[in-house]
Amino acid sequence: MADHFSVIGFKASSPEALSALVSDLLEKGGEKQPCPPGYYHRLRSQVGPELWVHMQKAAEPEPGSGPYIAVGITPFFEGEGRTPIRVRAMRQRPNDNLFEGAFYVELGPTIALIDVVDYARFAGKPVPFMAMAQIVAFPHELTVFENEAAFQTTQADKNVKITPRSFLASGLFTGGGASDIVFLDPEAEDFRAPARAFLTGEVQKTERRQNPETGQEFTWALVGTAGGTLDLVADDTMLPYSLQPGMIVEGEFWLCGRLTEMFGAN
């Protein structure tokens, strides 16, 4: 499994190397997105890769240091995917920092849990509400089929068949056999579920891109799945061959999104 940074061209040899790279990028500028605990320092490039650095107000600033300290970082990708959602709940896990959290949403005919890159900016917003989201799929497992016919061939002997555009919020379920499956209700008091999904989708557009900060190449694809379109990013370790429009992808992904429009309560 590739890490979430390498699939957008920020592969580093160690956490220290990644930290040094981020420090250099912070010196070059970026955008400040204010939020109650401080601000997000958004580092973006013209080809899509982004890093959102969590800058928290320091309780007691040390001499010679600024009033904010970096407490985390979230990778993201600015893409073309758009999916209409209905936000049912906004939740934070025990291990999330003040800048991190997830939206529990209705997505087309199903439900999903999506980590939100600028979660803290929505603190106190009443739910439910309707929105348009750009969602990035970071692969943990990925299989590619040359076309829909090749995908359907693999379904012939399966007891449970899936379509070329299917979506399951796999992070909301735990257990082995069917009788042991437990739903991790995002609206329950104890919330710990990961924002993962098992999905299939058709590649609509795809490009090889190069991260201008590192020179590393990766693949972006606009994928149509149940409920909308997602932006898939992957490095060469995840792909057996180059993606092409019409191919079918299948796998489990971490989902991270950002709202592009909000339409009010519903």
Side-chain angles (χ1 to χ4, degrees), residues 4-242:
H4 300 153
F5 293 91
S6 67
V7 294
I8 55 173
F10 282 114
K11 184 177 182 179
S13 58
S14 67
E16 292 76 18
L18 179 61
S19 178
L21 172 61
V22 173
S23 296
D24 289 342
L25 294 177
L26 288 173
E27 293 294 328
K28 295 181 180 180
E31 303 172 10
K32 294 183 179 180
Q33 306 275 349
C35 60
Y39 67 92
Y40 294 94
H41 198 124
R42 183 185 186 188
L43 302 169
R44 61 197 302 198
S45 76
Q46 294 181 346
V47 299
E50 297 188 353
L51 299 174
W52 289 63
V53 184
H54 312 157
M55 303 299 295
Q56 185 172 326
K57 299 172 186 174
E60 296 181 3
E62 297 181 2
S65 65
Y68 296 91
I69 56 173
V71 296
I73 182 170
T74 303
F76 193 64
F77 182 87
E78 186 175 19
E80 299 179 18
R82 294 294 184 271
T83 300
I85 60 173
R86 180 176 182 265
V87 180
R88 291 175 49 170
M90 300 187 295
R91 300 302 307 271
Q92 287 187 293
R93 310 168 187 86
N95 292 332
D96 286 338
N97 67 31
L98 296 175
F99 298 79
E100 298 171 325
F103 286 179
Y104 176 43
V105 308
E106 295 171 9
L107 183 156
T110 187
I111 57 173
L113 189 67
I114 303 165
D115 281 340
V116 178
V117 69
D118 53 348
Y119 177 88
R121 298 180 66 206
F122 300 93
K125 181 172 178 58
V127 293
F129 63 91
M130 304 293 293
M132 188 68 71
Q134 188 235 319
I135 303 171
V136 186
F138 293 79
H140 289 185
E141 299 174 2
L142 180 62
T143 303
V144 180
F145 302 92
E146 292 188 10
N147 49 45
E148 185 173 337
F151 171 80
Q152 295 291 7
T153 298
T154 67
Q155 299 296 305
D157 298 328
K158 293 184 177 180
N159 293 327
V160 179
K161 295 178 174 57
I162 58 177
T163 70
R165 290 183 177 224
S166 59
F167 185 102
L168 173 67
S170 54
L172 294 180
F173 299 89
T174 185
S179 61
D180 299 322
I181 293 177
V182 176
F183 176 59
L184 304 176
D185 187 356
E187 296 176 302
E189 182 177 352
D190 184 22
F191 171 67
R192 299 173 186 270
R196 291 202 306 264
F198 175 87
L199 64 88
T200 60
E202 180 182 356
V203 176
Q204 298 181 354
K205 295 172 62 176
T206 183
E207 292 178 359
R208 289 280 291 175
R209 297 194 179 180
Q210 185 179 63
N211 187 318
E213 300 298 337
T214 64
Q216 298 171 19
E217 293 188 344
F218 63 96
T219 296
W220 161 80
L222 181 66
V223 174
T225 187
T229 54
L230 310 178
D231 293 287
L232 182 153
V233 287
D235 64 16
D236 290 343
T237 66
M238 304 292 296
L239 295 171
Y241 35 75
S242 298

